[in-house]
Amino acid sequence: MIKGLPAINLGGFSSVNALGRFLNDSASAPVKNPPVHAGRLEPAHLQALIHASMLGQSQASSVVHQWLASGVDIEDVYLEGITPVARILGQWWCDDVIDFASATLAFTRLRQLLFDLSPLFLMDAAEQARGLSCLMVGDFQVKHTMGMFMLAEFFRRNGWVVHAQECESDLELLRKTSSDWFDLMAISLSCEKQVPLMRRLIPEIRKASANPELKIIAGGALLSVCPEIVTGLGVDLLTQDARQAQKTALDLVSNTIYKRQPNLTFNNVN
């Protein structure tokens, strides 16, 4: 069972055989997306999106738009719908419940859902963090992860200027933070190999940063599975929730002692 998820994961079925029947039936049975009550998603809704994501893009889109039409807040669609479904599918793949091809297709459809929903998600963007910039960093070897995209969406929705996936190596990251001004760096942790690298890099980043008061936060799927692994990472804040992350990050940056000078440029600062 994945910590923090509702009972729709492996334990949500009465037996392994019941899960197998669900997966087998998914190939031909129509998606059963129950009515939404009081704008809240239940395990049955997650099961519907799992089923739909394994069938096709139009089916997955239909499930999510039915939720929206029923009054589910779009932030809840992201955090209470798409996020846990992606984690469940990831766990099923790790447990050899579904094969790599099926998992990849489902992840691709969920990621496309986020791209398609982006204009609606950003339509009511606020300006609480107007003028503040955030550099988002994930696994240098992986591009455009779902978690990174979702985190960037929440920050943009609240007025941050987001720079995401602009560094392909640790050296490039150090050059970026030393030459450009960022109020915040957000690290998305999706695999264990990132932890020792970031543990080594963070002191170097703080030393080289053009912003002497750079704040650093970390979150991501890895924290949900094994939060103890990030002990001593050296960040200012750990968070597992994209919605809460930008709120606490804003408080963190707003409480810093430095005063930004809008007429100064920080390019090429050594």
Side-chain angles (χ1 to χ4, degrees), residues 72-115:
V72 180
D73 186 84
I74 192 166
E75 290 192 1
D76 290 335
V77 169
Y78 275 45
L79 296 178
E80 309 299 330
I82 297 174
T83 295
V85 163
R87 290 177 181 168
I88 292 164
L89 289 168
Q91 187 64 51
W92 285 0
W93 174 45
C94 290
D95 293 339
D96 292 325
V97 175
I98 56 177
D99 59 36
F100 176 77
S102 298
T104 299
L105 284 172
F107 289 140
T108 299
R109 289 160 184 157
L110 293 176
R111 188 161 53 244
Q112 185 61 47
L113 272 179
L114 293 177
F115 292 146

Side-chain angles (χ1 to χ4, degrees), residues 136-139 145 147-148 151 186-191 194 217-221:
M136 294 192 174
V137 181
D139 186 344
T145 65
M148 177 76 76
L151 184 64
I187 305 170
S188 178
L189 299 170
S190 57
C191 60
Q194 291 175 265
I217 67 172

Side-chain angles (χ1 to χ4, degrees), residues 140-152:
F140 295 133
Q141 307 303 316
V142 179
K143 295 290 186 182
H144 308 300
T145 65
M146 191 184 307
M148 177 76 76
F149 182 86
M150 186 176 295
L151 184 64

Side-chain angles (χ1 to χ4, degrees), residues 122-135:
L122 299 177
M123 184 179 296
D124 296 323
E127 295 187 355
Q128 291 99 321
R130 185 176 182 180
L132 296 177
S133 62
C134 174
L135 175 64

Side-chain angles (χ1 to χ4, degrees), residues 37-94:
H37 300 291
R40 294 182 58 84
L41 296 176
E42 304 292 342
H45 298 109
L46 303 190
Q47 184 168 318
L49 184 55
I50 290 173
H51 186 178
S53 68
M54 297 177 72
L55 285 179
Q57 192 64 53
S58 62
Q59 291 90 333
S61 180
S62 177
V63 165
V64 166
H65 280 88
Q66 286 174 31
W67 295 349
L68 291 169
S70 299
V72 180
D73 186 84
I74 192 166
E75 290 192 1
D76 290 335
V77 169
Y78 275 45
L79 296 178
E80 309 299 330
I82 297 174
T83 295
V85 163
R87 290 177 181 168
I88 292 164
L89 289 168
Q91 187 64 51
W92 285 0
W93 174 45
C94 290

Side-chain angles (χ1 to χ4, degrees), residues 128-138 148 151-156 158-167 173 176-178 180-188 198 202 205-206 209-219 234-239 241-256 258 260 266:
Q128 291 99 321
R130 185 176 182 180
L132 296 177
S133 62
C134 174
L135 175 64
M136 294 192 174
V137 181
M148 177 76 76
L151 184 64
E153 288 284 275
F154 273 87
F155 272 72
R156 290 188 178 106
N158 286 275
W160 291 81
V161 176
V162 176
H163 305 263
Q165 293 290 6
E166 295 190 356
C167 301
L173 176 59
K176 189 74 175 173
T177 53
S178 65
D180 297 347
W181 177 282
F182 299 104
D183 298 284
L184 178 77
M185 186 171 80
I187 305 170
S188 178
M198 286 301 171
I202 286 173
I205 290 168
R206 292 192 187 280
S209 174
N211 174 6
E213 298 291 340
L214 176 70
K215 299 302 180 183
I216 304 176
I217 67 172
V235 300
D236 298 296
L237 178 73
L238 291 171
T239 179
D241 185 296
R243 177 162 42 202
Q244 188 61 34
Q246 64 80 26
K247 293 178 181 178
T248 52
L250 182 58
D251 290 339
L252 194 65
V253 171
S254 298
N255 289 332
T256 55
Y258 71 86
R260 293 193 63 184
F266 294 89

